[in-house]
Amino acid sequence: MPNIILLGPPGAGKGTQAKRLVDERAMVQLSTGDMLREAKTSGTEMGKRVSDVMARGELVTDEIVIGLIAEKLSQGAGGGFIFDGFPRTLKQADALGKLLATSGQNLSAVIEMQVDDAALVARITGRFTCGTCGEVYHDQTRPPKVDGTCDACGGHDMKRRADDNESALKTRLMEYYKKTSPLIGYYYAKGQLTSVDGLAEMDVVASSISKVLDKA
Ligand code: AMP
């Protein structure tokens, strides 16, 4: 079963595309950002420790996220894993390679979602999600049909992320360019990288990703 990484800056659409693959291909989405937010909400010690770091838009330590991924990999995935927001540093990338190898698995492809910074700021600062089902909305480009009500599940619990503001976004972008973008060269050199235009229509991006998966 294919295991893929979705690589790209915050707001590139990794989560949106990952959710489609979960629905369409029964793959398992591993989002370290979601796992960390869950830890924060459920009030675990680790969740409390990472809360401020995340709100500022900085990366949490490699040890924490590698630990989270190691636990999930040991549970296995029928349809393959989608790594969403992991790895974000070279150390995490090396650790992922080793973890997959020890569980007899490999990485099928790394998909880089290319977008420009101006588009990211607009995408992220208007973003909100349904707290009940996770459907993603946007103030300008994708408001719900009825204000405050989720189109997908009818829920009324819309949420904005604490780090979806301009100041945290600046830090998140800086962290991406300093620590995560070297992974583009790393996976290119391994012959595993495919780049797609992340600014295309959502369905077009999805079909580019599908093509990569069909070949994997
Ligand atoms: P995301 O939902 O992927 O945008 O992640 C939200 C925040 O969680 C990031 O800004 C980091 O603070 C933290 N985070 C998520 N994944 C990682 C990772 N792989 N390495 C370090 N920090 C992470």
Side-chain angles (χ1 to χ4, degrees):
M1 282 298 144
N3 297 311
I4 61 162
I5 294 174
L6 295 182
L7 188 62
K14 303 185 294 291
T16 302
Q17 294 296 334
K19 288 197 170 59
R20 282 179 79 128
L21 294 171
V22 170
D23 292 342
E24 291 167 11
R25 297 186 180 242
M27 295 179 80
V28 172
Q29 177 187 12
L30 295 185
S31 157
T32 39
D34 284 349
M35 293 175 208
L36 292 165
R37 278 184 290 278
E38 264 163 44
K40 216 174 85 177
T41 312
S42 52
T44 65
E45 259 324 296
M46 184 270 279
K48 283 183 209 151
R49 250 187 302 142
V50 298
S51 173
D52 288 348
V53 177
M54 288 176 73
R56 284 197 299 271
E58 293 163 12
L59 295 189
V60 310
T61 64
D62 289 329
E63 287 67 28
I64 289 178
V65 287
I66 292 168
L68 288 170
I69 289 289
E71 200 183 313
K72 298 282 180 184
L73 284 189
S74 64
Q75 296 164 8
F81 289 112
I82 309 154
F83 297 97
D84 161 13
F86 180 92
R88 265 176 152 101
T89 63
L90 290 167
K91 191 165 168 198
Q92 292 176 24
D94 279 335
L96 178 61
K98 289 197 187 106
L99 284 169
L100 285 170
T102 47
S103 57
Q105 303 181 70
N106 55 27
L107 195 58
S108 318
V110 178
I111 300 171
E112 184 212 353
M113 302 178 64
Q114 294 179 323
V115 279
D116 69 65
D117 293 347
L120 294 179
V121 176
R123 270 192 187 187
I124 287 200
T125 49
R127 177 165 83 170
F128 60 99
T129 54
C130 169
T132 312
C133 75
E135 192 74 9
V136 184
Y137 295 97
H138 190 279
D139 292 323
Q140 277 83 44
T141 57
R142 193 170 184 267
K145 290 194 185 82
V146 179
D147 195 24
T149 303
C150 176
D151 297 348
C153 76
H156 296 287
D157 181 26
M158 297 298 189
K159 289 204 157 86
R160 280 178 204 267
R161 278 172 49 165
D163 58 353
D164 274 355
N165 59 71
E166 267 196 80
S167 143
L169 177 58
K170 246 189 208 158
T171 309
R172 287 159 71 196
L173 276 178
M174 198 58 89
E175 290 284 71
Y176 178 78
Y177 288 114
K178 276 200 297 201
K179 299 174 184 165
T180 309
S181 66
L183 298 187
I184 297 169
Y186 173 95
Y187 286 118
Y188 174 78
K190 282 173 171 273
Q192 291 178 307
L193 190 80
T194 304
S195 301
V196 302
D197 175 10
L199 285 179
E201 288 286 318
M202 218 153 59
D203 289 345
V204 176
V205 181
S207 94
S208 311
I209 294 176
S210 274
K211 278 189 202 128
V212 178
L213 271 168
D214 291 339
K215 275 192 275 167

